Amino acid sequence: MRKAAGTKPRQAKNFGIAFFFLSLLMVAVQLINYIITLLPAAEGAVIDLGDGTTIPVSSLSSSYLTLVIITLVVYGGTWFGVLRSMNWARWIAVVLAVLAAVLAVQSFAQVVATGFSDVVGLAMSLAQLIAAGWVLALAFRREVYEWYTKKNGPQAPS
């Protein structure tokens, strides 16, 4: 049974859902970092840069808030483009998924180096890696490719 022209295929819908979950995870990671800087325990905590220089964790709150906003704008704008079946959004989603996967592997390596003491970091990095893999697995499927390159998708005005 053939689908009517303009009906989004299941895999293209799944691509949008996968990117939405990846977006939520990336925003959540930045939001957790921001919340940590606001905790009372962060007031006296410092980050040692290794060369004898230290930075108070609480001084990073405005930087983390900026990262939350930038992450919301970039992932939100891309997700809007994915929902509107824009091919540029599919490519940006692929790039963001690759970056998310790299960051997840880095975060996982840090968790392993600390002896698995950061359970939240472990869970977030694994969830991020799975979501990024899901986006990448769907991005180049034939149905998704055809939908986003407008072969079967909504027709652009002539």
Side-chain angles (χ1 to χ4, degrees):
M1 182 164 121
R2 293 187 51 98
K3 291 187 178 190
T7 303
K8 191 178 257 191
R10 192 179 109 233
Q11 296 301 334
K13 289 178 186 177
N14 288 346
F15 177 71
I17 292 168
F19 187 73
F20 177 72
F21 281 123
L22 178 62
S23 300
L24 285 179
L25 284 169
M26 296 305 291
V27 170
V29 166
Q30 296 306 323
L31 199 55
I32 288 170
N33 286 335
Y34 175 65
I35 290 170
I36 287 171
T37 64
L38 299 177
L39 294 175
E43 288 179 24
V46 294
I47 297 174
D48 184 10
L49 298 178
D51 61 353
T53 309
T54 59
I55 298 174
V57 171
S58 59
S59 71
L60 299 174
S61 65
S62 62
S63 298
Y64 281 128
L65 180 59
T66 303
L67 283 174
V68 169
I69 293 168
I70 290 170
T71 303
L72 273 170
V73 169
V74 170
Y75 279 87
T78 303
W79 185 60
F80 181 73
V82 166
L83 286 180
R84 305 271 302 151
S85 301
M86 305 292 195
N87 195 38
W88 62 264
R90 181 176 68 99
W91 282 106
I92 292 175
V94 166
V95 169
L96 291 173
V98 168
L99 290 173
V102 168
L103 292 173
V105 169
Q106 178 191 16
S107 177
F108 183 76
Q110 288 175 345
V111 169
V112 170
T114 60
F116 295 97
S117 61
D118 182 10
V119 178
V120 173
L122 175 65
M124 291 301 284
S125 64
L126 288 177
Q128 194 176 327
L129 190 59
I130 290 168
W134 189 21
V135 169
L136 292 171
L138 291 170
F140 298 105
R141 302 237 359 194
R142 185 173 38 130
E143 288 178 326
V144 176
Y145 172 78
E146 288 174 354
W147 179 261
Y148 280 90
T149 56
K150 308 296 185 206
K151 291 178 183 169
N152 292 324
Q155 299 300 315
S158 306

